[in-house]
Amino acid sequence: MLFSVIAISPVAAEKLANPGISVTHTEVYDDGNVVEPVASVDFERARDKFEPEFVAVPFIFSTETLSTTVGAAGVLKHAGQAQASILGIGLYSSNDSWVSYLAASNYQLPKLDQWLFSGEFYRANYKQGIYFVPEGSGGGSLVSGASDSSQRNRIVTEGDESYSKVHIKYVLPWGKGARGAARSLMPSKQGDDFTWDPRESGVTSIELTPFVKTQELVGYEDLPTKAQGLELTLDWDNRDNGKNSTRGGQTSLTFTRDFGSRGSSDGADSRESWTTWEFEQSAFFSLGGSAWFPQQILALNFYLADTPTWNEYDSGTEQYQRPPSFAGVSLGGFEHLRGYSNRQLIGRSAVLYSAEYRVQPAWQPLQTLPFFNLYNIPWWQWVVFAEAGQVADNFSASELHDDMKWTLGVGARFEVESVVVRAEFAQGEGSSQFWVMVNQPF
């Protein structure tokens, strides 16, 4: 069994709770919906009067990749603006591996009420990293087309990784966005209007994200090391609460483009151009409540992705227009097909079906336990989940649904100082994973 901890999500800080809203209590309704939090102050007044609040959590763990590791995560809420936050994570291991992550989220500029600006930076060095590379790589015999999904070798080597992103989000003045981007971060209340019309309900946004990603593997210098380009995301978030959804859903369509680069005259640092798209749809249904479990939710998610430039051939470079394995379409990891290692399944296209049964027990002892009682933990959640998915080298419904890979798992999740932490065990075909991660998978 592989043990993976504190994986870094590209949207970790983006999903932090809006710290400009104070909470008075949690309301539980007869249908099992738990509405949390309930705003107790006027938002405009909260924007003018706020105090920065810092919370830090230390941790220690041991993994196959990192060995014994110590680190800490810290969140600064109301970081200069009521709705803004800063998240930092750092760790160091006994085998000299290290990870660093910093994100600043949901900042606004004067007179741009419909806009939110965020940035994040990740850098890590793994002395015994686990990677899945094309056959023939590492020995100077890598050939064009060797990135096919069926031609992958599992290796353990030193890896140096990084990414930098700037998120520029425009919130359309529809639904919850009609009163500005900052107010759209507030979770819905039970009495709020809810429809499946984006003009009346939810938050509709357009987000542009310039990015740079790198990965360098010792002994595999013939592999691509850099991806640089733009992501364009069209999103309609019609959930009542991103941290603990009980109704609605989220629709997202993301296009990613690397325009390529010829690099220097000797071909060093050159990049192939490529394009991918990803579609994701989630839905949440309340199953009512009981004395033991006041909230029971069925959560469903569908994911579909493709690389339309996969078979386009550049005669000048004699390469196909395909992304590096660390930047393209894949399954495996803490969000997609959790019973498999990170990016274990790589190909042109992918499909994934996910279902979760989430319950909140009325019994909540965490707030009274030593160490836990130092933090605000308003709820915890038990989860059973199942996933089925596949990757393919053709965008074909029959190939994507042939010999699908599966995952079954259980987990526990709880909110700590406005951040959802989840611990999950997932069993796949011939492999299992244990993940500790922030945020819901969908």
Side-chain angles (χ1 to χ4, degrees):
M1 181 184 74
L2 300 180
F3 188 85
S4 302
V5 178
I6 310 300
I8 305 299
S9 167
V11 291
E14 188 74 13
K15 296 181 180 178
L16 289 176
N18 173 25
I21 305 299
S22 63
V23 178
T24 56
H25 62 283
T26 298
E27 294 186 4
V28 182
Y29 291 84
D30 293 337
D31 63 357
N33 284 331
V34 177
V35 180
E36 183 177 11
V38 177
S40 64
V41 296
D42 179 76
F43 185 82
E44 297 299 333
R45 190 173 66 222
R47 289 185 54 149
D48 297 330
K49 291 186 177 182
F50 63 88
E51 292 292 336
E53 180 182 351
F54 179 75
V55 180
V57 179
F59 48 79
I60 181 170
F61 56 87
S62 181
T63 75
E64 180 184 18
T65 300
L66 294 172
S67 188
T68 303
T69 304
V70 297
V75 178
L76 179 63
K77 297 182 283 187
H78 318 300
Q81 296 180 3
Q83 78 289 343
S85 62
I86 296 176
L87 170 68
I89 300 175
L91 59 87
Y92 189 83
S93 76
S94 60
N95 68 4
D96 294 326
S97 299
W98 54 269
V99 176
S100 61
Y101 178 80
L102 180 65
S105 296
N106 299 326
Y107 281 87
Q108 290 195 299
L109 298 179
K111 299 182 180 180
L112 297 179
D113 292 341
Q114 297 299 133
W115 294 81
L116 293 170
F117 300 89
S118 306
E120 55 184 332
F121 174 78
Y122 160 77
R123 181 72 186 272
N125 179 267
Y126 301 100
K127 300 300 183 184
Q128 299 175 4
I130 299 174
Y131 300 95
F132 296 85
V133 301
E135 286 186 359
S137 58
S141 57
L142 180 65
V143 296
S144 178
S147 58
D148 291 353
S149 60
S150 61
Q151 300 173 319
R152 290 277 156 181
N153 291 329
R154 180 183 184 274
I155 65 167
V156 178
T157 188
E158 180 177 351
D160 192 79
E161 307 176 1
S162 72
Y163 66 72
S164 301
K165 295 184 177 183
V166 176
H167 303 277
I168 306 170
K169 177 186 285 189
Y170 175 72
V171 177
L172 274 67
W174 301 345
K176 289 178 61 178
R179 295 182 294 174
R183 292 181 67 97
S184 72
L185 298 172
M186 298 172 59
S188 298
K189 295 181 290 185
Q190 181 69 14
D192 288 352
D193 293 336
F194 176 81
T195 71
W196 289 101
D197 184 347
R199 297 170 300 176
E200 304 293 335
S201 181
V203 180
T204 304
S205 64
I206 302 173
E207 183 171 322
L208 184 65
T209 304
F211 69 86
V212 178
K213 300 179 182 179
T214 66
Q215 182 185 86
E216 298 181 13
L217 306 181
V218 174
Y220 295 84
E221 286 76 14
D222 52 343
L223 293 175
T225 60
K226 186 177 182 180
Q228 180 175 345
L230 294 172
E231 293 178 0
L232 176 64
T233 300
L234 311 176
D235 185 85
W236 177 40
D237 189 349
N238 198 32
R239 300 172 296 174
D240 57 338
N241 188 333
K243 300 194 303 295
N244 184 24
S245 304
T246 65
R247 65 180 184 183
Q250 184 173 17
T251 306
S252 179
L253 178 62
T254 299
F255 298 92
T256 303
R257 175 68 177 174
D258 187 329
F259 295 93
S261 172
R262 293 306 181 192
S264 57
S265 59
D266 61 359
D269 300 323
S270 62
R271 304 191 323 274
E272 295 300 323
S273 59
W274 50 268
T275 301
T276 64
W277 61 261
E278 300 171 276
F279 173 79
E280 194 155 11
Q281 176 67 61
S282 64
F284 303 89
F285 305 93
S286 174
L287 303 180
S290 65
W292 285 20
F293 301 106
Q295 182 190 91
Q296 300 180 85
I297 302 298
L298 176 63
L300 304 175
N301 194 68
F302 171 72
Y303 172 78
L304 182 67
D306 184 43
T307 310
T309 60
W310 186 265
N311 291 323
E312 295 181 9
Y313 187 74
D314 187 334
S315 58
T317 62
E318 299 182 344
Q319 296 290 329
Y320 286 97
Q321 308 298 283
R322 302 176 180 179
S325 59
F326 59 87
V329 173
S330 68
L331 294 179
F334 52 82
E335 289 187 334
H336 295 147
L337 211 59
R338 285 161 275 179
Y340 294 80
S341 297
N342 190 46
R343 293 190 172 273
Q344 182 171 342
L345 306 175
I346 300 173
R348 165 181 171 164
S349 56
V351 67
L352 180 68
Y353 302 91
S354 304
E356 295 191 345
Y357 174 57
R358 304 174 180 177
V359 298
Q360 279 191 16
W363 175 62
Q364 211 285 57
L366 298 180
Q367 199 68 72
T368 63
L369 297 177
F371 181 76
F372 287 96
N373 59 15
L374 300 176
Y375 303 95
N376 179 34
I377 307 177
W379 57 263
W380 70 330
Q381 188 177 70
W382 300 346
V383 182
V384 178
F385 61 88
E387 299 171 302
Q390 182 60 287
V391 300
D393 294 321
N394 293 292
F395 188 58
S396 163
S398 60
E399 291 190 30
L400 286 171
H401 292 82
D402 180 44
D403 189 27
M404 299 185 75
K405 309 302 180 184
W406 56 267
T407 287
L408 297 175
V410 296
R413 301 168 187 172
F414 45 94
E415 181 184 336
V416 183
E417 297 292 345
S418 300
V419 179
V420 176
V421 178
R422 56 185 170 102
E424 298 171 340
F425 174 79
Q427 177 67 53
E429 296 181 67
S431 67
S432 59
Q433 304 285 332
F434 184 81
W435 302 98
V436 176
M437 182 53 195
V438 296
N439 299 322
Q440 300 278 10
F442 56 88

